[in-house]
């Protein structure tokens, strides 16, 4: 603690996780740090979960509502969900126990655009924020907070909460200090001003998070790694999706619609996103930039090889190997990486201004280009919309990617009508599967349908999609966006009944 907690006043607040957890009352709204498994509190949530379990064993109610940046980890979402300790959760999550409780109707979940979370909280739509529990990398002598491996909504939680509990994680690289850019200029209408960010690497804010020391009721020391999940090697489908996309970028450069170094890249997380980044590493594009949410392994490799000049995000999401590399070369990375609050990393105004290329995964798309990113068979939440809508709606290009089938070929990811809509046909420009790429820009609905069927659908399902489309087109009903309403969701219904679409 000698090196990490320099402020004498806050050193007096050091206590263990159990004592800190005891300061969080049952029923509280708690804002926690954490974004895609980075920078989440590691000790207090587990201590809280143990208390809740003891209370529940004695028949006493003890649950809280949790607001975060995005997904966290088993030590937070998992531990609290396991003891039925979460009344309501927002926004993005990807925890299997949470998912199960949400889908069983035992946990409320509000899934909103990540850029909307802070302004909604400021406006009071979620109620009052009682406590913030925030992981930091250290505390300066003046009591300023050095952010950790993610920023997420930390600025907002600290500003809004009555009381703040800090976890100082000695396991985070001390060299993170100086990587962050915390912008304090946001406001609600009618007081909003332009966000003065005109380049992906520009700094417009401050190095540290500020918190009045009298609000800080506890400081807990930890020494634990982030979730740091391993990435699998890209499979064949992911590599082919990446290949189609990179060819498309080359054609766009040739057509003069993209500069030779493309435009700032946003990439979702997961296997396909990783394959696209790997493809870029071997591709012809130089001097790339990224304006994204999450930096995963592939982005670090691109920075290292020099293909990527700089990257802006709100969080890391790294494998253990990449995390070691980050720590070892932190000075190199600090010159090239800016971490921002998610309100800024995902800000519609900035994304539109910079002309971001948005590349995200999806669960399914329909013939007309509506995309479902969140709900399996229309009802069961997978993760959440995350930042995909912030980027897709406002980017210069919006790309959605998926293998053409799921569950060993039992499911077509191209369906007559999506069973849940996250991104409407108006916000989806490019659909890519391993079969090919459909460029929907400038096309009316029926042409979009033909292109998606031809380029993206799996051959096992293509004839039936075409048959549906042709019968809908011959139905004599509305021919702008033809559908057979009684059949539109029959593929999903068939899957639920028989296990195959
Ligand atoms: O389930 O692992 O049980 O087999 O969904 O699918 O193919 O591994 O792909 O990991 O990229 O996830 C949309 C969920 C895709 C993700 C989604 C099943 C499939 C598998 C995962 P199993 P894959 P991915 C920035 C951007 C929204 C948030 C976002 C996501 C599992 O990309 O959460 O974009 N996106 N954020 O079998 C039934 C289908 C299915 C299906 C896939 N049609 N029907 N199951 N699956 N398609 C990041 C942040 O915001 C933080």
């Amino acid at each position: 603690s000698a090196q990490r907690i320099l402020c004498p006043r806050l050193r007096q607040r050091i206590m263990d996780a159990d004592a800190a957890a005891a300061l969080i009352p049952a029923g509280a709204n708690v804002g926690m740090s954490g974004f895609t498994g980075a920078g989440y509190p590691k000790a207090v949530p587990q201590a809280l979960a143990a208390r809740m379990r003891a209370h529940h064993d004695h028949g006493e109610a003890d649950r809280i509502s949790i607001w975060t940046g995005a997904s966290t980890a088993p030590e937070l979402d998992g531990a609290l969900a396991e003891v039925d300790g979460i009344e309501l959760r927002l926004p993005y999550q990807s925890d299997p126990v949470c998912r199960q409780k949400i889908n069983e109707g035992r946990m409320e979940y509000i899934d909103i655009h990540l850029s909307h979370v802070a302004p909604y909280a400021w406006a009071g739509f979620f109620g009052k924020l009682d406590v913030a529990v925030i992981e930091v990398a250290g505390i300066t002598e003046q009591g300023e907070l050095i952010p950790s491996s993610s920023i997420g909504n930390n600025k907002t939680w600290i500003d809004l909460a009555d009381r703040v509990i800090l976890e100082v994680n000695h396991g985070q690289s001390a060299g993170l200090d100086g990587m962050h850019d915390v912008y304090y200029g946001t406001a609600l209408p009618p007081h909003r001003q332009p966000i003065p960010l005109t380049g992906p690497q520009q700094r417009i804010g401050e190095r540290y998070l500020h918190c009045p020391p009298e609000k800080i009721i506890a400081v807990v020391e930890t020494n634990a790694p982030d979730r740091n999940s391993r990435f699998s090697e890209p499979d064949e489908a992911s590599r082919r999706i990446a290949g189609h996309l990179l060819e498309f970028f080359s054609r766009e450069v040739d057509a003069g619609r993209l500069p030779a170094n493309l435009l700032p890249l946003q990439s979702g997380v997961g296997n396909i996103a990783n394959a696209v980044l790997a493809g870029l590493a071997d591709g012809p594009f130089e001097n790339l930039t990224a304006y994204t949410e999450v930096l995963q392994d592939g982005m670090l490799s691109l920075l290292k090889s020099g293909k990527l000049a700089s990257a802006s995000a709100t969080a890391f999401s790294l494998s253990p190997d990449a995390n070691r590399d980050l720590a070892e070369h932190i000075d190199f990375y600090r010159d090239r990486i800016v971490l921002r609050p998610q309100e800024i990393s995902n800000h519609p105004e900035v994304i539109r201004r910079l002309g971001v290329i948005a590349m995200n995964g999806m669960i399914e798309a329909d013939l007309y280009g509506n995309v479902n990113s969140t709900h399996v068979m229309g009802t069961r939440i997978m993760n959440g919309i995350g930042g995909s809508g912030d980027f897709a709606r406002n980017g210069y290009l919006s790309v959605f990617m998926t293998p053409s089938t799921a569950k060993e070929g039992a499911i077509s990811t191209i369906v007559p009508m999506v069973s849940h809509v996250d991104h409407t046909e108006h916000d989806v420009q490019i659909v890519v599967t391993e079969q090919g790429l459909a460029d929907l820009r400038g096309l009316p609905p029926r042409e979009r349908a033909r292109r998606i069927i031809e380029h993206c659908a799996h051959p096992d399902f293509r004839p039936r999609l075409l048959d549906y489309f042709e019968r809908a087109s011959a139905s004599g009903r509305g021919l702008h966006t033809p559908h057979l309403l009684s059949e539109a969701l029959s593929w999903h219904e068939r899957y639920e009944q028989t296990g195959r679409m």
Side-chain angles (χ1 to χ4, degrees):
S1 65
Q3 294 132 24
R4 295 279 179 138
I5 308 173
L6 298 177
C7 173
R9 178 163 176 185
L10 293 180
R11 289 174 72 99
Q12 293 169 2
R13 298 275 189 288
I14 295 175
M15 62 184 78
D16 69 21
D18 291 331
L23 301 173
I24 302 175
N29 290 330
V30 183
M32 298 219 189
S33 62
F35 201 108
T36 18
Y40 54 91
K42 317 255 181 323
V44 174
Q46 295 190 81
L48 190 57
R51 181 192 84 189
M52 287 168 162
R53 187 187 292 276
H55 282 164
H56 293 170
D57 286 348
H58 288 93
E60 287 170 51
D62 190 355
R63 306 179 87 193
I64 58 168
S65 292
I66 298 182
W67 314 352
T68 65
S71 58
T72 64
E75 304 98 294
L76 197 170
D77 277 320
L80 290 167
E82 193 68 54
V83 298
D84 270 319
I86 309 179
E87 179 72 33
L88 176 146
R89 172 78 172 76
L90 68 90
Y92 190 83
Q93 62 77 41
S94 64
D95 182 81
V97 187
C98 278
R99 183 181 297 140
Q100 189 190 336
K101 304 260 166 166
I102 295 165
N103 286 325
E104 287 171 352
R106 292 158 68 190
M107 185 195 297
E108 297 296 343
Y109 177 46
I110 303 178
D111 183 29
I112 61 173
H113 298 302
L114 292 185
S115 75
H116 284 184
V117 181
Y120 273 36
W122 274 110
F125 299 155
F126 309 129
K128 170 99 196 65
L129 188 64
D130 300 300
V131 186
V133 184
I134 308 292
E135 179 180 283
V136 296
I139 303 175
T140 69
E141 205 169 342
Q142 289 71 39
E144 294 180 299
L145 312 180
I146 305 169
S148 180
S149 50
S150 69
I151 298 187
N153 284 314
N154 294 353
K155 169 194 151 291
T156 304
W157 298 164
I158 290 169
D159 285 351
L160 284 176
D162 291 334
R163 284 153 286 164
V164 175
I165 295 171
L166 299 175
E167 281 197 9
V168 178
N169 187 352
H170 294 262
Q172 296 289 2
S173 169
L176 286 172
D177 187 355
M179 198 179 265
H180 311 91
D181 186 60
V182 187
Y183 183 63
Y184 273 88
T186 52
L188 292 176
H191 305 292
R192 275 195 185 134
Q193 295 294 317
I195 310 288
L197 190 92
T198 54
Q201 214 197 350
Q202 193 184 340
R203 287 174 184 272
I204 57 171
E206 299 175 37
R207 180 163 173 168
Y208 300 128
L209 291 158
H210 311 306
C211 180
E214 60 274 14
K215 277 196 357 185
I216 299 174
I217 55 171
V219 177
V220 177
E221 294 182 90
T222 64
N223 191 338
D226 281 328
R227 186 177 70 195
N228 294 340
S229 359
R230 231 163 267 284
F231 283 109
S232 46
E233 276 299 304
D235 59 11
E236 181 57 22
S238 302
R239 274 199 296 269
R240 283 172 62 183
I241 289 169
H244 296 311
L245 192 55
L246 293 171
E247 264 175 51
F248 167 76
F249 288 156
S250 291
R251 289 199 303 273
E252 288 298 292
V253 172
D254 292 344
R257 287 193 287 248
L258 279 177
N261 70 335
L262 307 184
L263 284 165
L265 302 168
Q266 177 261 335
S267 119
V269 287
N271 208 2
I272 300 177
N274 230 26
V276 171
L277 297 176
L280 285 167
D282 302 329
F285 310 108
E286 307 281 344
N287 210 18
L288 296 164
T289 59
Y291 195 81
T292 188
E293 228 176 66
V294 176
L295 297 178
Q296 55 185 57
D297 290 25
M299 287 277 185
L300 292 200
S301 322
L302 283 175
L303 283 168
K304 208 159 197 186
S305 72
K307 289 258 179 185
L308 183 65
S310 68
S312 163
T314 190
F316 289 103
S317 184
L318 301 174
S319 71
D321 286 348
N323 201 49
R324 214 168 300 120
D325 174 60
L326 175 74
E328 277 167 22
H329 303 99
I330 193 81
D331 295 335
F332 170 87
Y333 287 118
R334 203 188 314 100
D335 286 343
R336 290 161 179 80
I337 292 174
V338 186
L339 294 185
R340 311 177 189 279
Q342 74 194 59
E343 200 182 352
I344 303 300
S345 65
N346 288 34
H347 203 292
E349 171 193 335
V350 178
I351 292 165
R352 180 65 66 96
R353 178 180 301 129
L354 299 180
V356 172
I357 298 178
M359 302 179 281
N360 291 293
M362 62 173 167
I363 285 177
E364 60 184 7
D366 69 23
L367 299 183
Y368 300 106
N370 298 289
V371 162
N372 171 8
S373 291
T374 56
H375 285 77
V376 172
M377 302 300 144
T379 60
R380 292 190 291 279
I381 192 78
M382 178 57 86
N383 303 319
I385 192 167
S388 55
D390 294 321
F391 286 94
R393 176 75 183 90
N394 301 294
Y396 176 75
L397 275 179
S398 83
V399 180
F400 283 94
M401 311 175 283
T402 178
S404 64
T405 60
K407 303 292 172 203
E408 269 102 50
I411 292 173
S412 174
T413 58
I414 307 298
V415 290
M417 182 185 269
V418 283
S419 56
H420 174 95
V421 193
D422 294 288
H423 311 289
T424 75
E425 52 169 333
H426 313 285
D427 296 335
V428 177
Q429 299 175 333
I430 314 286
V431 174
V432 199
T433 70
E434 82 290 351
Q435 300 294 323
L437 178 147
D439 180 355
L440 307 176
R441 293 172 302 173
L443 299 183
R446 283 182 291 174
E447 281 180 47
R448 289 204 297 270
R450 289 196 183 280
R451 191 157 304 184
I452 289 178
I453 295 170
E454 230 168 80
H455 290 253
C456 298
H458 191 278
D460 287 355
F461 293 100
R462 197 179 290 152
R464 275 172 49 208
L465 283 167
L466 200 57
D467 173 62
Y468 172 89
F469 174 67
E470 282 170 352
R471 284 185 296 116
S473 299
S475 68
R477 306 279 290 273
L479 292 187
H480 180 243
T481 303
H483 265 303
L484 301 168
L485 292 183
S486 60
E487 263 186 56
L489 295 172
S490 63
W491 293 36
H492 300 84
E493 184 59 22
R494 188 155 47 244
Y495 176 78
E496 297 281 46
Q497 303 290 340
T498 70
R500 265 196 87 79
M501 275 189 169

